[in-house]
Amino acid sequence: MELRRVRLPLVDPFASSLGVETERLALLVRAVTPAAEGWGECVAATEPLYSSEHLEGAEDVIRRFLLPMLASRPWSSAGELASVLAPVKGHRMAKAAVETAVLDAELRASGMSLAAHLGAVRRRVASGVAVGIASSLDALVDQVAAHLDAGYLRVKLKIRPGWDLEPVRAVRERFGDVALQVDANSSYTLADTRMLAALDPFDLLLVEQPLAEDDLRGHAELARRIRTPVCLDESVTSARVAATAIALGACSVVNVKAGRVGGYLEARRVHDVCVANGVPVWCGGMLETGIGRAANVALAALPGFTLPGDLSASERYFPTDLTPPFVLDDGHLRVPEGAGIGVDPLAEVLREVTVSSEWVPLRGA
Ligand code: NPG
């Protein structure tokens, strides 16, 4: 296995209640087997502001715990990795990157696409765009106008206390009934219920993760008091938590991110639980390069993904992507059809953006 750090500048700084991202530092995991090579992208950010994981921590866990565990226990396919790695608590983004690399190698060796393996039913997926906290309402409206001109089918606004009602009102007034949702990244408390209820008249598709990650009861309480559907992101760390959240009435929509739940196989189970309960899902994004984006697009092609995802074109974030760019076509991204994740890093770009590389042999596997 290779652990390779890459650094990609972003087109524009991306601001949210979690801070301002000016570049994407990502960790790529590459699984090299006699039959094929596979890639996984670790979505952990450099600082633990979205969840408890962060990039250097994830790299350390992969190097010191996950890979030695894989080397010392018997397993024969990617579907067994989650149980092999179960003794390590948490660290789902680290586990997801390792599982995805192995799964990609396995699928490439057998010639099957990740989309087909997961159960995809679509050849293209609807593309939404996430818009960060802007310097002014005018700047926000200009950004949204440019994204709508590009063809995005839904807009998600980042909100936080002090940047919520006004931006939503400005976008509604200017763009009419555009499909609109907001993401709070857990920046409110139940004491803000009145403010969150003030969003009701704006007919938002959903409000994402208004309260703390561990506050399912609070989300259930809030969901009873506001009309906007409550969607969970950070809170849903597994299919079991998804089932619990739905049973408690804590959400009526779920954002599915493979990194957050430990991999694409668990992400499919989250999808399945939601479908079984009549809860729509959509695919979240974490500023992935083309490697992670390709796998996200495959996931979003499953039948329960009935809302547009945070699945933007490469050029929304990167002047140069690591892979051939994902491009918007009539508001959609095409699901890769090739084996595995269906895309490869461009050798020259990969060389240019690589910050470090380390090989870890997996003897005995
Ligand atoms: O389109 O990839 C994208 C970004 C969508 O807003 C987005 N992601 O909270 O969901 C989020 C947020 C995020 C980005 C979270 C990076 C953590 C890291």
Side-chain angles (χ1 to χ4, degrees):
M1 311 276 283
E2 184 193 19
L3 301 181
R4 187 187 276 256
R5 273 208 220 175
V6 295
R7 182 194 300 274
L8 283 83
L10 292 178
V11 171
D12 291 312
F14 185 76
S16 70
S17 61
L18 307 171
V20 184
E21 308 274 347
T22 54
E23 61 178 12
R24 183 60 171 153
L25 194 60
L27 176 67
L28 301 179
V29 179
R30 180 184 187 184
V32 180
T33 76
E37 284 190 17
W39 293 91
E41 176 171 342
C42 182
V43 294
T46 45
E47 297 175 291
L49 303 178
Y50 166 81
S51 72
S52 63
E53 286 189 82
H54 67 104
L55 198 70
E56 283 195 34
E59 187 170 354
D60 186 54
V61 163
I62 293 173
R63 180 192 300 117
R64 287 205 294 137
F65 301 107
L66 303 185
L67 298 186
M69 207 167 259
L70 290 191
S72 66
R73 297 181 195 207
W75 56 276
S76 57
S77 99
E80 296 165 35
L81 292 197
S83 59
V84 171
L85 300 177
V88 173
K89 305 297 184 235
H91 297 288
R92 293 180 179 86
M93 294 175 184
K95 290 179 178 179
V98 170
E99 183 193 85
T100 306
V102 173
L103 180 60
D104 185 33
E106 193 172 299
L107 290 170
R108 286 181 197 246
S110 70
M112 183 183 250
S113 70
L114 176 64
H117 180 70
L118 294 175
V121 295
R122 304 186 184 95
R123 302 177 72 124
R124 60 179 207 160
V125 299
S127 198
V129 65
V131 184
I133 289 165
S135 54
S136 68
L137 292 175
D138 284 344
L140 175 75
V141 166
D142 288 349
Q143 285 176 37
V144 171
H147 293 312
L148 292 175
D149 282 347
Y152 286 103
L153 299 174
R154 167 288 258 162
V155 173
K156 153 170 149 177
L157 302 181
K158 288 288 190 180
I159 60 167
R160 68 173 175 215
W163 179 264
D164 36 37
L165 266 187
E166 293 313 314
V168 168
R169 179 178 294 124
V171 170
R172 261 289 173 256
E173 278 177 1
R174 174 73 162 68
F175 303 104
D177 59 2
V178 60
L180 186 63
Q181 64 192 53
V182 292
D183 181 7
N185 285 114
S186 74
S187 55
Y188 295 88
T189 72
L190 262 191
D192 299 308
T193 299
R194 189 173 304 181
M195 183 273 129
L196 292 165
L199 293 172
D200 284 349
F202 295 104
D203 281 319
L204 301 177
L205 287 169
L206 56 92
V207 53
E208 184 181 355
Q209 196 69 39
L211 312 179
E213 175 182 329
D214 61 0
D215 195 4
L216 289 183
R217 197 201 63 80
H219 280 102
E221 183 69 35
L222 180 68
R224 281 193 288 276
R225 298 203 214 157
I226 66 176
R227 274 211 320 275
T228 307
V230 173
C231 169
L232 290 177
D233 172 14
E234 286 93 321
S235 292
V236 176
T237 50
S238 67
R240 185 183 295 132
V241 174
T244 303
I246 294 167
L248 289 173
C251 62
S252 53
V253 186
V254 170
N255 165 332
V256 184
K257 285 179 180 161
R260 199 192 63 223
V261 302
Y264 287 88
L265 302 178
E266 182 70 6
R268 177 177 58 187
R269 289 188 281 272
V270 173
H271 160 272
D272 295 349
V273 162
C274 292
V275 168
N277 285 280
V279 167
V281 302
W282 55 281
C283 186
M286 294 184 68
L287 307 175
E288 289 88 349
T289 73
I291 295 291
R293 198 165 297 272
N296 285 348
V297 169
L299 177 68
L302 268 64
F305 286 80
T306 52
L307 292 166
D310 281 345
L311 298 165
S312 299
S314 296
E315 65 167 20
R316 153 83 181 95
Y317 291 116
F318 305 110
T320 310
D321 204 341
L322 252 185
T323 62
F326 280 84
V327 293
L328 216 54
D329 178 8
D330 186 29
H332 292 73
L333 298 186
R334 232 194 333 267
V335 180
E337 288 173 2
I341 62 171
V343 301
D344 287 294
L346 298 163
E348 198 167 310
V349 179
L350 184 62
R351 221 175 12 251
E352 272 166 25
V353 301
T354 294
V355 178
S356 65
S357 158
E358 174 186 346
W359 286 91
V360 184
L362 264 201
R363 280 180 297 270

